[in-house]
Amino acid sequence: MARHTLLSTRVLLVCAAIGVATGIVGGIAGILTPLILASPLAIAYGFVLGAHVLPGIVAQEVLRMPLVAILTHVLAALVATAFNPAWALRFIGTALLFGAIQEGVAALTRYRAWGPWRFFISAVIIGVIVAVAVFFAAHLSAFAPWAQVAYLILSVLGPVAWTALGLGVGASLRRAGVARQTAAR
């Protein structure tokens, strides 16, 4: 009798494909980051940083299995590193943090609840963490009060908006049959 593993070759290949596609998006976000921070659009930094939620959201929406978010995040971080090798540790650290949060929320529901609400809970948690990190990293005290508020709102809404996009992409991939025969039996 054949032994089935949780992360079959098919699951790993789907995670790799999603990781490459979303890693390119993360790499582009990494390229845009210094340009945005040096421009009048600096208040949008948290929104751009929110793009890094995509790997886990798409992977979990397509596969609906344990460990796919963190695995896909790490693969995406490695791809993003090709765009800016100096930020390798930032990409990997962000991948581990965001992937762990997404896996943690899924684990709390015992990997049985896959409604959009569950994905948005992880997005809001990530958004709050991003807002706090951005507050300290960007020295928001130097901004006008309206800009500080906008910066923090965009930092929370960024992961939420990217999650909505990721759910749409993931649902489309599911309908296309990407998830067929990936579940462990």
Side-chain angles (χ1 to χ4, degrees), residues 18 65 74 107 124 135 145 152-153 156 166 179:
I18 294 168
M65 298 174 65
V74 170
V124 170
F135 182 82
L152 295 174
I153 289 171
V156 174

Side-chain angles (χ1 to χ4, degrees), residues 113-127:
W114 296 105
W117 63 269
R118 195 208 48 80
F119 292 97
F120 288 113
I121 287 173
S122 66
V124 170
I125 292 168
I126 290 169

Side-chain angles (χ1 to χ4, degrees), residues 108-168:
L108 287 174
T109 63
R110 303 177 96 191
Y111 293 96
R112 292 185 180 143
W114 296 105
W117 63 269
R118 195 208 48 80
F119 292 97
F120 288 113
I121 287 173
S122 66
V124 170
I125 292 168
I126 290 169
V128 169
I129 290 170
V130 166
V132 170
V134 162
F135 182 82
F136 291 109
H139 306 291
L140 284 187
S141 59
F143 286 76
W146 71 266
Q148 292 177 23
V149 171
Y151 209 108
L152 295 174
I153 289 171
L154 287 172
S155 294
V156 174
L157 290 181
V160 172
W162 287 100
T163 293
L165 176 69
L167 287 173

